[in-house]
Amino acid sequence: MMSSISLLTDVVRLAGKIAKKNFGTSNVRKFKEKDDLVTNVDLIIEKKIFSFIKKNFPGHGFDSEERNEIYLPDSDYIWILDPIDGTKYYQDNIPIYSISLALQYKKKIIQGIVYLPETDDLFISSPKGQNYNSRKNGEDIKCSGKKNLEDISVILEMPNRNDTAEEISRAISILEKMIKKVKRVRILGVGSISLCYCAMGGFDLYVNLFIDQKHYDFSAANLILENAEGFFYRGDNISIGGRKENVLQLVEYLK
């Protein structure tokens, strides 16, 4: 059972209105591990979308980053929400954040939507015939088709001070090697947005050197990238996404 695309769009745009209305006035409700924080707006959006899901999809489960437990965890269908991906930016009045919502069916992500309220950009992976495609604002998107590593721009996720010295050192070593080969390396710091920009071909490859990747941040955006003719390589503490040929080139270079 696929959910209505219009319903998906409605609920994330509603959440986006809440985020924009409260931008610049949010307050921190609590701090989590690894310097993560929760604002009052995270909780407002979570409550609004949870109510929406219960009303429109009775019997569906709900798994949100700020909840202590999954609602109806044994359901075949479970919605996965990150109310605000980029909370630290949001709290510091930097307009780089998204609302990320995915639908999981029997442990497999089947739909995903990422909405950027400040730019009104909506990325969605939706069914098309028997296949899937990904769209930005209603237009089909595809991963970059560049052929040479020297022409490729990488959007990167790095460890932080809470990771081990070994993990940080390893990541810096990989970063140094990439800098010497690819056209440029950039760090945005919001996984869902970085993946979507890669899915639309803005960046050529997405590289994640984090050890701990939260499924709330990545479930929707991973599907959007994969259904934009993308491919994921998952190795030893590294994930690389983009067009398969480019991914495999970088994997080979980093050996």
Side-chain angles (χ1 to χ4, degrees), residues 4-254:
S4 165
I5 298 303
S6 62
L7 283 177
L8 276 175
T9 301
D10 287 346
V11 71
V12 297
R13 288 194 185 279
L14 174 62
K17 287 181 180 179
I18 294 170
K20 287 196 72 173
K21 180 181 178 181
N22 291 278
F23 184 71
T25 63
S26 62
N27 56 77
V28 176
R29 287 297 177 87
K30 64 179 179 179
F31 288 93
K32 301 186 291 186
E33 61 180 6
K34 294 195 173 183
D35 298 322
D36 285 340
L37 53 89
V38 180
T39 72
N40 62 314
V41 183
D42 288 274
L43 301 177
I44 292 169
I45 289 174
E46 179 182 82
K47 183 177 179 180
K48 182 68 69 173
I49 293 182
F50 185 34
S51 296
F52 183 94
I53 296 300
K54 287 199 295 183
K55 176 182 177 181
N56 291 278
F57 304 101
H60 282 205
F62 186 71
D63 182 14
S64 177
E65 184 168 16
E66 315 311 340
R67 290 178 63 86
N68 293 323
E69 60 183 12
I70 301 174
Y71 172 74
L72 299 180
D74 295 327
S75 174
D76 285 344
Y77 293 92
I78 295 179
W79 295 85
I80 300 171
L81 171 70
D82 189 345
I84 298 179
D85 186 19
T87 308
K88 288 184 282 293
Y89 283 155
Y90 185 83
Q91 177 64 19
D92 290 335
N93 301 329
I94 299 171
I96 304 174
Y97 63 92
S98 75
I99 292 133
S100 177
L101 182 65
L103 177 59
Q104 175 182 279
Y105 174 65
K106 293 185 176 179
K107 309 299 183 183
K108 181 179 180 181
I109 304 300
I110 60 172
Q111 284 188 323
I113 185 166
V114 174
Y115 181 53
L116 284 59
E118 299 295 331
T119 59
D120 195 30
D121 285 325
L122 187 143
F123 294 86
I124 191 164
S125 184
S126 56
K128 183 178 181 181
Q130 297 301 312
N131 301 310
Y132 287 85
N133 70 310
S134 293
R135 298 172 185 168
K136 175 191 174 188
N137 300 332
E139 299 292 329
D140 287 355
I141 56 175
K142 294 180 181 179
C143 291
S144 167
K146 291 181 182 176
K147 304 296 183 183
N148 301 314
L149 285 182
E150 291 81 1
D151 299 325
I152 281 174
S153 295
V154 172
I155 186 74
L156 180 67
E157 301 274 352
M158 289 286 285
N160 60 37
R161 65 181 182 178
N162 297 291
D163 293 302
T164 68
E166 181 182 358
E167 292 162 350
I168 292 171
S169 176
R170 180 178 179 277
I172 290 173
S173 177
I174 293 173
L175 171 60
E176 181 180 8
K177 195 169 184 180
M178 286 195 297
I179 287 173
K180 292 177 179 178
K181 183 68 173 179
V182 304
K183 184 176 181 180
R184 61 174 56 91
V185 178
R186 296 291 183 261
I187 300 175
L188 180 62
V190 183
S192 61
I193 298 178
S194 297
L195 281 160
C196 286
Y197 284 165
C198 186
M200 64 177 275
F203 290 97
D204 305 299
L205 286 176
Y206 169 84
V207 177
N208 193 315
L209 301 178
F210 271 126
I211 308 307
D212 179 27
Q213 299 182 18
K214 298 177 182 176
H215 66 288
Y216 309 102
D217 298 341
F218 296 98
S219 292
N222 279 355
L223 183 70
I224 290 167
L225 185 140
E226 288 177 338
N227 291 338
E229 300 185 1
F231 169 81
F232 270 103
Y233 166 85
R234 294 176 175 86
D236 182 20
N237 297 330
I238 184 172
S239 295
I240 306 174
R243 194 170 293 276
K244 187 173 184 178
E245 295 82 354
N246 295 341
V247 171
L248 296 181
Q249 274 195 81
L250 186 60
V251 170
E252 184 64 26
Y253 170 71
L254 292 175

